[in-house]
């Protein structure tokens, strides 16, 4: 299992190991949805995330360029649909990101 | 950013919002209403309705494609969620097959038919089974309103047990409530999610 680097003084992951592609709030919520769903189209993600079309498109482009998301063309009821799903790379990156964040906050008291 | 993002809650929210269209309430309610009428007017034939399950599924799929998908988009849920839906479907099939077997036995052995289908205890037992089935659907599907439907069904059966007036009353009551509530949900859904114009966004 890939281990992230920790600073010597703290148990926090070094800032340069956090995946900045996932760490952005809009992309995080998109990745979270695609992590729990098998596939979804743009409209479904837009409705669930509350992002505008332009915002959604731009963030998905970044995720696709990073290799985390792939677009699948499928015919549904004889109409073409573009469906989005996480790649294996994207799924692993999201799981790693989850572990990093969980590790960062475990042991902290809730206030 | 919420570092304690509850992914289960996220998936549950995606699933329940996709089913806030009221379609399952209208279609299942209509099926139960038809079943109630069949039992009342054609008591010898209601057992043979396994084919109705096929019609129910086709109607639901078509309605989802024409109402929900243009408004909410298209989604494929995880294999775990799909398995839960299969369990619900299997539960319906088991109940229908069981009902069919009982019906065939009742036709072949009329005294057995009288014992099974004209006893007050049977109505109570069916109320418990029906209430349990609705609750099971609510638990598996995370659609909490099915707990209420189950409670109404059981309460109606208990009422019939003490005040024998109309044996199909539990089915009638729950089906009418489901259809009416489903219609309200459908109206709210179409207001909340108008049809998107301009089609899907293509990433260039």
């Amino acid at each position: 299992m890939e281990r992230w680097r920790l600073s010597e003084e703290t148990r926090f992951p070094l800032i340069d190991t956090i995946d900045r592609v996932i760490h952005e709030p809009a992309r995080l919520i998109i990745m979270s949805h695609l992590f729990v769903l098998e596939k979804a189209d743009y409209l479904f993600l837009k409705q669930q995330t509350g992002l505008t079309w332009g915002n959604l498109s731009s963030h998905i482009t970044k995720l696709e360029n990073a290799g985390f998301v792939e677009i699948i063309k499928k015919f549904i009821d004889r109409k073409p649909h573009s469906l989005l799903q996480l790649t294996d790379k994207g799924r692993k990156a999201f799981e790693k990101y989850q572990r990093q964040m969980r590790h960062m906050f475990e042991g902290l008291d809730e206030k | 950013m919420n570092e304690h993002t509850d992914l289960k809650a996220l998936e549950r929210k995606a699933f329940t919002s996709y089913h806030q269209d009221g379609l399952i309430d209208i279609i299942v309610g209509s099926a139960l209403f038809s079943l109630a009428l069949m039992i009342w007017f054609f008591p010898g034939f209601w057992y043979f309705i396994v084919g109705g399950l096929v019609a129910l599924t086709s109607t639901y799929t078509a309605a989802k494609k024409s109402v929900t998908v243009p408004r909410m988009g298209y989604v494929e849920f995880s294999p775990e969620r799909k398995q839960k839906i299969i369990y619900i479907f299997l539960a319906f099939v088991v109940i229908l097959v069981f009902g069919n077997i009982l019906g065939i036995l009742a036709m072949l052995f009329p005294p057995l038919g009288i014992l099974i289908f004209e006893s007050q205890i049977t109505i109570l037992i069916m109320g418990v089974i029906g209430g349990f089935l609705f609750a099971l659907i609510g638990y598996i599907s995370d659609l909490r309103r099915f707990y209420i439907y189950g409670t109404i069904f059981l309460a109606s059966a208990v009422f019939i047990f003490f005040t024998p007036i109309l044996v199909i009353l539990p089915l009638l009551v729950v089906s009418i409530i489901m259809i009416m509530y489903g219609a309200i949900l459908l109206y709210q859904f179409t207001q909340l999610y108008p049809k998107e114009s301009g089609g899907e966004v293509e990433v260039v």
Side-chain angles (χ1 to χ4, degrees), chain A residues 8 11 16 18 21 37 41 43 63 68-69 74 89 96-97 101 110-111:
Chain A
E8 286 173 11
R11 56 210 297 267
D16 60 351
I18 296 173
V21 174
L37 304 169
D41 68 1
L43 178 56
L63 289 171
F68 292 163
V69 163
K74 192 174 173 178
K89 182 182 174 187
K96 180 186 169 186
Y97 177 82
M101 291 297 119
E110 296 263 352
K111 289 196 180 166

Side-chain angles (χ1 to χ4, degrees), chain B residues 125-179:
Chain B
I125 292 169
M126 285 188 177
V128 170
I129 292 171
F132 173 75
L133 192 64
F134 276 111
L136 185 68
I137 292 168
Y139 177 72
I140 290 174
S141 67
D142 293 315
L143 299 174
R144 308 283 184 228
R145 58 190 184 267
F146 276 81
Y147 289 124
I148 298 172
Y149 295 150
T151 307
I152 293 169
F153 188 82
L154 178 59
S156 307
V158 169
F159 180 77
I160 291 295
F161 180 75
F162 290 107
T163 319
I165 43 170
L166 194 63
V167 70
I168 57 168
L169 189 74
L171 271 176
L172 277 179
V173 167
V174 81
S175 63
I176 289 168
I177 288 171
M178 283 180 81
I179 292 167

Side-chain angles (χ1 to χ4, degrees), chain B residues 50 53 88-99:
Chain B
V50 176
L53 206 60
I88 294 170
F89 189 78
L90 283 175
F92 271 117
V93 170
V94 163
I95 297 286
L96 277 176
V97 168
F98 183 65

Side-chain angles (χ1 to χ4, degrees), chain B residues 4-15:
Chain B
H4 298 296
T5 301
D6 189 338
L7 292 174
K8 276 190 185 166
L10 199 75
E11 194 274 345
R12 199 181 304 126
K13 181 188 161 279
F15 185 81

Side-chain angles (χ1 to χ4, degrees), chain A residues 23 25 28-29 32-33 35-44 46-48 53 57 60-61 64 71 73-74 76-77 80-83 94 97-98 101 105 110, chain B residues 1-5 7-8 10-11 13-15 17-18 65 68-79 82 192-194 196-197 199-204:
Chain A
H23 196 59
L28 175 60
I29 201 75
S32 297
H33 276 91
F35 187 77
V36 297
L37 304 169
E38 197 163 299
K39 294 182 187 78
D41 68 1
Y42 285 88
L43 178 56
F44 189 81
K46 178 185 176 288
Q47 299 291 22
Q48 295 299 306
W53 281 119
S57 176
I60 286 173
T61 302
E64 202 188 0
I71 297 171
K73 302 278 185 183
K74 192 174 173 178
I76 296 159
D77 207 23
H81 256 82
S82 295
L83 300 179
F94 187 78
Y97 177 82
Q98 267 189 298
M101 291 297 119
F105 291 101
E110 296 263 352
Chain B
M1 178 193 68
N2 180 5
E3 66 276 9
H4 298 296
T5 301
L7 292 174
K8 276 190 185 166
L10 199 75
E11 194 274 345
K13 181 188 161 279
F15 185 81
S17 65
Y18 200 65
K65 280 181 186 166
T68 314
V69 173
R71 289 181 165 80
M72 271 215 90
Y74 180 82
V75 61
E76 288 182 17
F77 291 99
S78 63
K82 283 180 192 169
L192 192 61
Y193 299 106
E196 288 281 331
S197 58
E200 56 182 357
V201 173
E202 291 288 341
V203 174
V204 177

